[in-house]
Amino acid sequence: MSESKRLIVLTGSYAEAENEGIYAYELNEDTGSLAKLDGISGVKNPTFVNVDAEGNKLYAIGEATSAEGNKMSEAVALSIDPATGKLSLLNRKNSISAPPCHIQRDPSGRYLILSSYHGGLVGLQAVTDNGEIGELLDEKKHEGQGAHPERQDKPHVHSAFFSPDGKYMMVQDLGADKIAIYSIDADKNELVLHSETKTHAGAGPRHLAFHPNGQFAYVINEVDSSITSFRYDAAAGTLTEVSTVSTLPDGYDGKENTTAEITVSNDGRFVYGSNRGHDSIVVYAVDADAGHLKLVEHVSAEGEHPRHFALTPNGKLLIAANRDTNNIVTFTVDQESGRLKYTGHSTGVSKPVCVKPVYL
């Protein structure tokens, strides 16, 4: 990294189109403080974003309305001025046929993947050669249901994450208690279902993070507040369950809890997850041989409903977005123990959902 690069945190949120919903902040790595650089309006509920740091571009989801008056998705491309952090709209295109909840970019940079919780859909969207949004190429609708009568009465696709080699895409379906593993047929521009992995009943898989060794994947389960370790067979493109741990303290009987985000430290020694209800970040140590998780600590999220969080590229800070208290907070990370310590810095942001720290 050159000394000229700054650490920018790109943020998505719940917002009406007339209000700012996508933000750029500069993060001071010495103090953990955030300074707003820009905010942009014009997109309804741009809750999740994906950043192409090399191309100085940001991709966001948005809610749109079809010609028939139905709720649907749009994909939005913005440019980021690395000198100022200023955000500028490049273009936007309609996408999958239900409201979106997650956006991902494939490793080649040719495609965006949009997920719809309400529609049980996953879609493949083109990225043009100049980095703008292209056409919707394919859309797959999931089927099935899970054990929970209310939360899992139908499919709820929540996210898509690529295997380390980029060959397969893991799509978490909270409603159907499964992870659908797809490949992309680049000749036909289609999503191809490769295999499916069932989770334990009533889990509600939401997000996934791979261990840097590529042998393990960790899935945070929203409905029953747990994390499941899977062994990943890269050659076969399959996940095999190893073990499951609770994200809550023993004997917890507080308000209803659902989980949200999960990530693995760069060195693979620690896994972090967020609890909404208990309002905490949970830290685990990783057994590098077997992939099991051992509890290290629970730390207050310093706000309510930590919907997303991220480690900085060097792993020294963790940034958490607390939707219901309208704040983004930062923690220092003890990289030997994995433990977190609140920096004392909290930044007011309306209904933040996603934080993506990148060097620009």
Side-chain angles (χ1 to χ4, degrees):
M1 185 197 74
S2 68
E3 288 299 313
S4 63
K5 290 195 174 185
R6 298 186 298 172
L7 188 52
I8 308 296
V9 179
L10 287 310
T11 302
S13 68
Y14 280 107
E16 294 302 318
E18 59 266 27
N19 299 328
E20 287 185 352
I22 304 172
Y23 306 90
Y25 295 88
E26 182 168 8
L27 176 58
N28 183 319
E29 292 190 83
D30 295 326
T31 66
S33 63
L34 289 168
K36 184 179 174 184
L37 300 175
D38 197 17
I40 194 166
S41 60
V43 184
K44 180 177 173 62
N45 290 338
T47 51
F48 227 85
V49 299
N50 179 276
V51 184
D52 173 6
E54 289 185 11
N56 294 323
K57 291 180 177 64
L58 178 145
Y59 300 100
I61 54 174
E63 291 184 17
T65 305
S66 70
E68 296 76 30
N70 299 318
K71 288 183 177 180
M72 62 178 301
S73 301
E74 67 171 347
V76 183
L78 299 95
S79 65
I80 313 163
D81 183 337
T84 64
K86 181 174 174 55
L87 303 170
S88 303
L89 179 68
L90 288 173
N91 81 322
R92 60 208 302 170
K93 292 263 191 180
N94 283 345
S95 186
I96 53 179
S97 56
C101 62
H102 190 264
I103 188 168
Q104 184 65 267
R105 192 163 42 93
D106 86 302
S108 76
R110 289 178 56 188
Y111 303 106
L112 296 171
I113 314 297
L114 274 75
S115 300
S116 172
Y117 176 90
H118 292 290
L121 302 172
V122 58
L124 185 70
Q125 191 104 14
V127 177
T128 66
D129 290 343
N130 62 357
E132 295 187 355
I133 306 292
E135 300 300 322
L136 179 66
L137 302 169
D138 192 17
E139 179 179 286
K140 292 287 192 281
K141 185 172 178 62
H142 282 195
E143 296 180 354
Q145 59 191 62
H148 193 290
E150 294 158 10
R151 297 295 316 277
Q152 298 181 303
D153 60 327
K154 61 181 181 179
H156 290 304
V157 173
H158 221 310
S159 63
F161 293 91
F162 282 88
S163 58
D165 61 8
K167 190 176 177 182
Y168 295 107
M169 183 177 83
M170 319 291 149
V171 176
Q172 284 56 243
D173 191 326
L174 178 151
D177 271 338
K178 69 181 179 184
I179 302 161
I181 302 177
Y182 290 88
S183 61
I184 298 174
D185 184 328
D187 294 325
K188 296 181 179 179
N189 288 323
E190 289 180 357
L191 294 171
V192 178
L193 183 62
H194 172 73
S195 66
E196 290 186 345
T197 298
K198 293 294 289 183
T199 63
H200 61 270
R206 177 185 170 101
H207 282 191
L208 173 148
F210 271 95
H211 191 280
N213 68 13
Q215 296 174 22
F216 302 110
Y218 299 94
V219 174
I220 194 158
N221 301 305
E222 178 176 331
V223 176
D224 75 351
S225 298
S226 67
I227 292 175
T228 301
S229 308
F230 291 91
R231 184 173 289 278
Y232 178 61
D233 184 328
T238 56
L239 293 168
T240 304
E241 184 171 341
V242 174
S243 57
T244 297
V245 295
S246 173
T247 63
L248 292 167
D250 289 343
Y252 175 74
D253 62 355
K255 61 182 178 178
E256 183 183 4
N257 189 80
T258 58
T259 62
E261 181 59 351
I262 185 167
T263 196
V264 184
S265 62
N266 288 340
D267 60 10
R269 293 174 59 199
F270 304 102
V271 167
Y272 298 85
S274 66
N275 285 303
R276 300 172 295 177
H278 187 246
D279 294 330
S280 63
I281 307 295
V282 58
V283 186
Y284 305 91
V286 176
D287 179 324
D289 295 323
H292 299 300
L293 299 180
K294 182 180 179 182
L295 179 67
V296 173
E297 66 171 351
H298 292 86
V299 175
S300 168
E302 303 295 337
E304 296 176 8
H305 198 97
R307 194 175 175 101
H308 192 258
F309 65 88
L311 292 167
T312 54
N314 63 15
K316 292 182 178 179
L317 291 170
L318 184 146
I319 311 151
N322 293 312
R323 189 195 69 183
D324 290 358
T325 41
N326 304 303
N327 66 326
I328 297 175
V329 296
T330 56
F331 300 83
T332 57
V333 181
D334 183 323
Q335 292 177 293
E336 283 306 307
S337 68
R339 291 177 178 270
L340 304 176
K341 184 179 180 182
Y342 178 43
T343 63
H345 289 287
S346 174
T347 302
V349 186
S350 178
K351 298 178 182 175
V353 170
C354 176
V355 281
K356 296 282 187 176
V358 293
Y359 285 113
L360 293 175

